[in-house]
Amino acid sequence: MATPFTYIIPILLLLSLTSVSNACPPNDRAALLAFKAALNESHLGIFNSWKGLDCCHNWKGVSCNPETHRVADINLRGESEDPIFEKAHRTGYMTGSISPAICKLTGLSSLTIADWKGISGRIPQCIASLPFLRVLDLVGNQISGEIPSDIGRLSRLTVLNVADNQISGNIPRSLTNLSSLMHLDIRGNKISGTIPRDFGKLRMLSRALLSKNKLNGLIPYSISYIYRLADLDLSLNQLSGPIPASLGKMSVLATLNLDGNLISGPIPPTLISSGISILNLSNNAFDGYIPDAFGPRSYFTVMDLSHNKLRGRIPRSISSATYIGHLDVSHNHLCGPIPAGSPFDHLEASSFVSNDCLCGKPLRAC
């Protein structure tokens, strides 16, 4: 006759096997522990939860693929609204480096190790071998060295954010092979050299933020091929030469920041009659006249042309713009009367000072 234990033991065995089958593979767990060993975070106890055999459950910042049970996402941010930060009344500070052991997590889809301020070392070259990686976000650390030269192997990558680090070297030529890339942010580093001529191959790109580096040379004409591009920030570099007029013909470009470079030549009329709403060309070497190309399509929340070599008059057509919120043409060589009416009736004198002979409100009378 069967006893109750006859049925209980197989059930317990089945539950045990189910639990093991839903746990992360031992190799993934070992890779996470090796990754953790290269880091030090003593204030918030982020890694205190990284214990036990199953890294797929209750390991803070770790998520697994529900079907394969492989580690799929690592999301560790040093600035967060997470209760652990609120309870400590502080943001995080982590030191150490990113271990190449991370590359053993071959099922990894996203890697976010952001805003820890003290993480240094290099981006492991083997990062480029992760076949499913879609997000690489390392913003706000002290990472140095170069962007991996074969970063272009990450065919699924949609987000590359290494802003506000100490990264140097050139933009890798292979980066333009990232055909799925939608968000590129390399601001606030020490990256030098030129922007690749075939940058326009990044056809899915919607944001390209390259400011505060040491980039030089020309703005590639091919950028205008990126039909999804809405935000382009090349400010505070050492770029030179003229602006490609084709940038003003881009259908969704809304923000163009080129301030703080060595760009010269005339301002293309296409930029004035485009759909751009934030246009910052200040602190360059533009010369010639402000294009007399304003019209109903001109809608600028910000237009900053200050600190250039512009001459001549402020064009009369500017009054036909649908809207101009902030206008700054100071520190040029402009002359003649400031047009009356909108948008000039709400601008201050600081928008017009340090020109050769501008006059009229809000400056002295002509």
Side-chain angles (χ1 to χ4, degrees), residues 4-250:
F5 292 104
T6 306
Y7 302 104
I8 292 174
I9 291 174
I11 292 172
L12 291 175
L13 182 60
L14 180 62
L15 290 173
S16 176
L17 291 173
T18 302
S19 177
V20 170
S21 66
N22 288 336
C24 69
N27 288 345
D28 279 14
R29 178 179 177 274
L32 285 173
L33 292 177
F35 164 74
K36 169 189 170 183
L39 298 168
N40 178 44
E41 196 287 298
S42 58
H43 299 296
L44 299 172
I46 292 292
F47 293 125
N48 289 346
S49 64
W50 288 32
K51 55 189 177 183
L53 296 178
D54 187 5
C55 60
C56 286
H57 296 91
N58 301 319
W59 283 39
K60 187 169 183 62
V62 178
S63 302
C64 295
N65 184 311
E67 296 179 359
T68 65
H69 309 296
R70 298 293 309 277
V71 173
D73 304 294
I74 296 176
N75 187 357
L76 299 172
R77 288 191 178 276
E79 296 178 358
S80 170
E81 296 178 358
D82 191 285
I84 194 170
F85 290 89
E86 295 178 1
K87 190 174 182 180
H89 301 291
R90 65 187 302 169
T91 57
Y93 187 81
M94 188 184 293
T95 57
S97 61
I98 300 172
S99 169
I102 202 76
C103 304
K104 295 180 180 178
L105 299 171
T106 54
L108 203 61
S109 175
S110 69
L111 176 61
T112 298
I113 309 169
D115 298 316
W116 290 105
K117 306 173 188 68
I119 295 177
S120 56
R122 294 170 174 260
I123 302 171
Q125 288 284 335
C126 60
I127 285 282
S129 68
L130 294 172
F132 301 106
L133 196 64
R134 296 178 183 275
V135 175
L136 180 58
D137 186 351
L138 307 176
V139 62
N141 290 293
Q142 295 292 325
I143 296 169
S144 58
E146 301 182 7
I147 297 172
S149 58
D150 53 355
I151 192 81
R153 293 173 57 193
L154 297 173
S155 61
R156 299 171 186 256
L157 198 68
T158 60
V159 174
L160 176 58
N161 187 352
V162 294
D164 298 325
N165 279 284
Q166 301 292 324
I167 294 171
S168 57
N170 296 343
I171 297 174
R173 293 183 63 182
S174 74
L175 185 139
T176 59
N177 294 330
L178 297 174
S179 58
S180 298
L181 195 66
M182 301 173 67
H183 178 100
L184 174 64
D185 192 347
I186 61 173
R187 291 175 294 179
N189 282 287
K190 301 176 181 178
I191 298 171
S192 57
T194 60
I195 301 172
R197 291 180 62 185
D198 59 350
F199 196 81
K201 288 171 60 180
L202 300 171
R203 297 297 177 87
M204 300 297 289
L205 204 61
S206 61
R207 303 191 77 199
L209 311 177
L210 287 70
S211 65
K212 298 181 184 177
N213 280 288
K214 299 180 180 179
L215 297 170
N216 55 57
L218 303 176
I219 299 172
Y221 177 89
S222 69
I223 288 179
S224 59
Y225 300 154
I226 310 175
Y227 62 91
R228 294 172 178 262
L229 192 63
D231 298 316
L232 178 61
D233 189 351
L234 304 178
S235 62
L236 302 173
N237 280 289
Q238 299 164 18
L239 299 170
S240 57
I243 300 181
S246 55
L247 293 186
K249 299 178 181 179
M250 298 176 67

